[in-house]
Amino acid sequence: MDRVNQLLALTPEERAQFVASRPRGANDTPAGSDRLVHYDRANVETLKTRARAALPEPAPKGAARPPAAPAPGSLAPTPLATLAEILSTWLVARWCFCSCCWDTGEIKRGLLRAVPNRLFEPALIVLADLDRALGDYVRGLFLECCLLGLTVGLFLTLIGVPLQWTVGIGSSRARATWFRTWAPRWRC
């Protein structure tokens, strides 16, 4: 919200133009023009108080300042850290996918064992709803990726690219969309 307010704030030139465009006479003043000026003044005061609150308090003279700690996100990631993040994402994603594929219902049974008896039926209903919603989402995403690949292939065929290339490019486009959609969701 603060960023939007800063983006929409008037520059000094715009503010001078706004003030100069106000009618000065009592007969020329349209209804509500004072309200706009009041809103503008209130916005300026709000921005000033927030700017003052964002500034650090000055330390009293003679008091030693503690060493400044680096901001958590200020350090640039090294190539090794980036590579480790990518590898861990891919390894964790593959492990989760394979364990879910090889599961014969033990994960579901383990979750249901932890549920008290009085909440067993609502838990089954929630699991069924979750299964249906996730299945619908994955089927819809798969259909979207297939249609995207088909559309790319069709347009490439229409502009004269040979059929063997359009099939390869269209299928790789669909596959890339599928993996780009799923890879960020598998991060832990």
Side-chain angles (χ1 to χ4, degrees):
M1 187 61 104
D2 290 336
R3 289 188 67 184
V4 171
N5 285 339
Q6 289 173 352
L7 288 173
L8 296 177
L10 296 175
T11 63
E13 296 86 24
E14 292 171 335
R15 179 162 283 105
Q17 187 179 7
F18 171 69
V19 171
S21 68
R22 275 192 47 224
R24 298 289 181 208
N27 297 338
D28 297 342
T29 307
S33 66
D34 290 336
R35 185 175 50 178
L36 293 176
V37 173
H38 176 70
Y39 287 158
D40 181 56
R41 286 183 186 145
N43 286 336
V44 169
E45 287 301 317
T46 302
L47 289 174
K48 284 181 183 177
T49 55
R50 287 187 180 167
R52 274 187 250 129
L55 293 175
E57 298 269 338
K61 292 182 180 180
R65 281 188 153 178
S74 66
L75 299 176
T78 63
L80 186 60
T82 305
L83 179 66
E85 180 182 347
I86 291 170
L87 285 178
S88 68
T89 299
W90 280 100
L91 291 175
V92 169
R94 297 286 188 246
W95 179 80
C96 289
F97 179 74
C98 290
S99 65
C100 287
C101 285
W102 289 324
D103 180 44
T104 57
E106 291 180 30
I107 294 175
K108 184 178 177 181
R109 282 193 295 271
L111 287 173
L112 290 175
R113 279 188 203 123
V115 174
N117 280 341
R118 63 185 175 88
L119 298 175
F120 185 75
E121 287 183 21
L124 280 178
I125 293 170
V126 167
L127 280 176
D129 289 345
L130 183 65
D131 185 39
R132 189 185 75 250
L134 286 175
D136 290 346
Y137 174 72
V138 171
R139 280 187 291 277
L141 188 62
F142 180 74
L143 182 64
E144 177 187 352
C145 292
C146 289
L147 289 175
L148 177 70
L150 183 67
T151 305
V152 168
L154 179 68
F155 282 126
L156 288 175
T157 303
L158 289 176
I159 63 171
V161 177
L163 186 62
Q164 65 185 12
W165 289 101
T166 61
V167 170
I169 293 171
S171 64
S172 69
R173 181 74 252 160
R175 187 180 64 234
T177 304
W178 176 262
F179 285 119
R180 187 178 61 240
T181 304
W182 276 103
R185 287 173 176 76
W186 285 350
R187 289 188 178 195
C188 292

